[in-house]
Amino acid sequence: MTFEQEWAELRSAAAQRSAMQINSAPAEGGGGAGAPDLVVNRDDLGAIGNDAYELRTRLSKDGDHARPATFAAAIALTNGNFASGSAVLKVHDFWQKHLKTLLDSCAHISNHLDYTKAQHAKDDVKIGGDLTSISKLSEYMK
């Protein structure tokens, strides 16, 4: 069997699977009627946000231990005319770049979950206020 034939068969099988999934009813517990299948509590959001913040704090400290020594080694090797000096400097720069990306991601997760938790609390207060006014109307209509 050639590559083109095998590729055509795989594409055809994938298209059939997609068509079957799109045109089928959801499995038990699927969306629509019944009990909700996604529940998030504000305490859960706060705990996850706190974990992300703690991870960022620890990572910012622990992820920076080797930076000064790595940089000093790269400079010493480069000044000693060793070709590996530039490679060590690349490793140093690569680590710093990815460490910053990871720290930013942890901060983003923490901030987003804190915001989400606060927004859910505001939404709950608003909905409670809206329902209170409706219940007062219902009392008058009896």
Side-chain angles (χ1 to χ4, degrees), residues 63-96:
D64 199 41
H65 283 304
R67 183 189 51 78
T70 304
F71 187 73
I75 297 302
L77 288 169
T78 302
N79 289 341
N81 293 324
F82 287 96
S84 60
S86 63
V88 172
L89 188 58
K90 284 182 184 178
V91 169
H92 170 271
D93 294 345
F94 185 80
W95 174 254
Q96 287 305 113

Side-chain angles (χ1 to χ4, degrees), residues 87-132:
V88 172
L89 188 58
K90 284 182 184 178
V91 169
H92 170 271
D93 294 345
F94 185 80
W95 174 254
Q96 287 305 113
K97 176 184 168 191
H98 289 294
L99 178 62
K100 182 179 178 340
T101 301
L102 187 56
L103 289 170
D104 290 347
S105 297
C106 288
H108 181 74
I109 290 168
S110 176
N111 292 340
H112 178 71
L113 291 173
D114 288 345
Y115 169 80
T116 301
K117 181 180 174 183
Q119 190 61 42
H120 279 294
K122 288 178 188 175
D123 290 345
D124 285 347
V125 168
K126 183 183 180 322
I127 291 169
D130 291 348
L131 291 176
T132 300

Side-chain angles (χ1 to χ4, degrees), residues 127-142:
I127 291 169
D130 291 348
L131 291 176
T132 300
S133 63
I134 291 171
S135 66
K136 289 289 183 191
L137 285 174
S138 296
E139 286 178 23
Y140 290 122
M141 298 184 127
K142 286 184 180 180

Side-chain angles (χ1 to χ4, degrees), residues 29 34-45 48 116 120 124:
D37 57 354
L38 176 63
V39 177
V40 178
N41 298 316
R42 276 182 265 148
D43 293 340
D44 296 337
L45 294 176
I48 295 168
T116 301
H120 279 294
D124 285 347

